[in-house]
Amino acid sequence: MRDTVETITELPEGPTPEVHAGRLLPWYDRHRRTLPWRALPGEKADPYRVWLSEIMLQQTTVVTVGAYFDAFLHRWPTVRDLAAAPLDKILHAWQGLGYYARARNLHACAQAVVERHGGQFPDDIEALSALPGVGAYTAGAIAAIAFDRQASAVDGNVERVIARLYALETPLPDVKPAIRDYAGRLVPAERPGDYAQAMMDLGATVCTPRAPRCVLCPVVDLCVGRRLGVAETLPRRRVKPARPVRQGIAFLLMRKDGAVLLRRRPPRGLLGGMIEVPSSPWREGTLDRDDCLSAAPVPASWRSLPGIVRHVFTHFELRLEVVAASTAGMADEVADAQWCAIDRLDEMALPTVMKKVLTHGLKAMADANPAAT
Ligand code: SF4
């Protein structure tokens, strides 16, 4: 079965599938990377490991993912174990990998595999794509790597290799459908799983974004981009508009015994379901302090702390002013709120931006009142 979305009648100038795979697979046999989630030569790949690693690797580097992958596998050795785990434990273990929607989808996907497929990952693109958090790339990667299906898996590395092999000059993202077409046509019938991993390895280790090491490349004589002298400039990208800035105020409320008020964000939306320091809505444009302060979790004498917390999300930059106040009360009226002792903050599923708010706010308070610390 093939996973090609669009159909082309002929490949443009560039390698044929047979010649391409004929060069790439022997190279892979000699130079394949050893990765914690990768089956050794001759071993059968474990779909759970393949899926877990692919979700973790979205937007994150191989080096960062290694320790997380080992920790997850140690704690939840099977998809059933992961499905049965409380979401909070998963979010906590995910801290540092960012993009928490992926962690929530990870949990939902594990549960779907157990409920819909009896704890076994399906082996076809359609059923894989229907799982939470499994997009076209991940479905292709699991089908190819875990089940040796003739499917293509086009991530950023493979996009770059294909754009260079065929000297595709149209900028991203417009060139993506063509890249998917060409990539799909190159997948061989023999060893498609190894082929998918070979393309990933080629992009990661040889056909690198800057200064590709073409002299070491097994397909150098087939590469049109290299022949035309444009390889390093590909793939081209459309110029991105500047990232918008959103602003808001975070409320650091301290109880007399030193506990901090935290609350859970709504389940949907950015950082959905995560624990946060209560904050005003984050808005573009000039900061309206009065409007922001009206969103305080409790009435109190809020005082501004010096400095600003900055955090960059994919689609915007966030700048948060931090204000602080003390209370003897319980703030019971704050929805989804909880008090947390400062020395137990590490145990909370706090996103990075909220860790920054706490580090910044607690330091500013200590600087302002050293006798109290
Ligand atoms: Fe990439 Fe160079 Fe190989 Fe072409 S020859 S695929 S540009 S490494």
Side-chain angles (χ1 to χ4, degrees):
M1 192 182 83
R2 301 203 66 129
D3 173 36
T4 46
V5 182
E6 294 161 43
T7 315
I8 54 174
T9 49
E10 278 178 25
L11 285 171
E13 188 187 9
T16 62
E18 297 72 24
V19 173
H20 179 61
R23 301 281 173 82
L24 200 57
L25 288 170
W27 172 84
Y28 179 69
D29 291 337
R30 286 194 304 278
H31 300 289
R32 51 181 287 152
R33 290 177 293 173
T34 303
L35 299 170
W37 45 86
R38 190 173 269 183
L40 295 170
E43 273 183 8
K44 209 166 154 32
D46 174 0
Y48 176 57
R49 285 170 164 250
V50 174
W51 164 74
L52 184 60
S53 65
E54 289 298 341
I55 301 293
M56 286 184 166
L57 284 165
Q58 291 166 10
Q59 319 272 350
T60 313
T61 64
V62 165
V63 175
T64 305
V65 164
Y68 285 89
F69 178 81
D70 288 342
F72 265 67
L73 212 63
H74 178 73
R75 202 157 165 191
W76 300 295
T78 68
V79 70
R80 284 186 185 278
D81 297 322
L82 193 66
L87 176 60
D88 252 5
K89 299 275 183 220
I90 293 172
L91 291 172
H92 189 252
W94 191 267
Q95 278 183 42
L97 282 175
Y99 301 94
Y100 289 92
R102 286 189 289 142
R104 285 192 295 280
N105 276 332
L106 189 82
H107 192 225
C109 183
Q111 292 179 328
V113 168
V114 170
E115 285 160 17
R116 294 180 207 163
H117 303 287
Q120 304 293 322
F121 276 86
D123 64 356
D124 66 282
I125 295 277
E126 203 177 323
L128 284 165
S129 301
L131 294 170
V134 176
Y137 162 75
T138 308
I142 299 171
I145 299 170
F147 300 108
D148 226 15
R149 291 292 191 125
Q150 198 175 2
S152 65
V154 183
D155 65 357
N157 280 331
V158 176
E159 261 177 8
R160 185 169 59 252
V161 173
I162 295 289
R164 290 171 175 177
L165 274 176
Y166 291 106
L168 302 176
E169 304 254 4
T170 306
L172 286 168
D174 301 350
V175 72
K176 277 176 184 268
I179 288 178
R180 280 202 301 273
D181 246 351
Y182 302 154
R185 290 287 293 257
L186 283 180
V187 178
E190 297 293 319
R191 301 178 62 192
D194 284 345
Y195 172 84
Q197 294 173 99
M199 284 291 275
M200 292 172 188
D201 283 12
L202 186 72
T205 64
V206 176
C207 195
T208 47
R210 277 179 291 281
R213 304 192 299 160
C214 301
V215 289
L216 301 177
C217 180
V219 291
V220 62
D221 57 326
L222 309 173
C223 180
V224 183
R226 158 87 170 170
R227 196 169 74 229
L228 297 177
V230 295
E232 195 168 346
T233 68
L234 300 175
R236 302 204 195 290
R237 290 173 199 282
R238 252 196 266 148
V239 180
K240 278 191 195 163
R243 198 179 257 127
V245 174
R246 293 187 198 170
Q247 303 191 78
I249 290 181
F251 300 95
L252 192 55
L253 187 64
M254 302 283 295
R255 207 168 54 182
K256 290 287 185 224
D257 62 1
V260 178
L261 185 77
L262 301 175
R263 76 177 170 196
R264 188 178 295 281
R265 291 176 65 82
R268 301 263 166 255
L270 188 68
L271 306 179
M274 302 293 297
I275 303 293
E276 70 165 1
V277 176
S279 67
S280 68
W282 306 340
R283 296 204 172 101
E284 288 181 33
T286 313
L287 181 73
D288 182 340
R289 294 194 83 256
D290 290 341
D291 185 47
C292 287
L293 288 169
S294 70
V298 294
S301 312
W302 295 103
R303 65 181 191 286
S304 280
L305 299 177
I308 289 284
V309 174
R310 290 171 197 271
H311 188 76
V312 176
F313 291 96
T314 319
H315 301 299
F316 67 95
E317 177 186 330
L318 178 64
R319 296 179 191 165
L320 284 178
E321 184 184 321
V322 183
V323 296
S326 315
T327 179
M330 299 299 291
D332 285 340
E333 68 277 19
V334 183
D336 292 324
Q338 56 184 292
W339 290 102
C340 180
I342 288 177
D343 59 3
R344 303 198 65 181
L345 286 170
D346 280 352
E347 297 168 22
M348 308 303 291
L350 286 158
T352 305
V353 61
M354 290 302 153
K355 288 183 180 171
K356 286 185 186 176
V357 167
L358 284 162
T359 304
H360 173 88
L362 294 172
K363 179 173 183 313
M365 288 172 76
D367 289 347
N369 189 10
T373 58

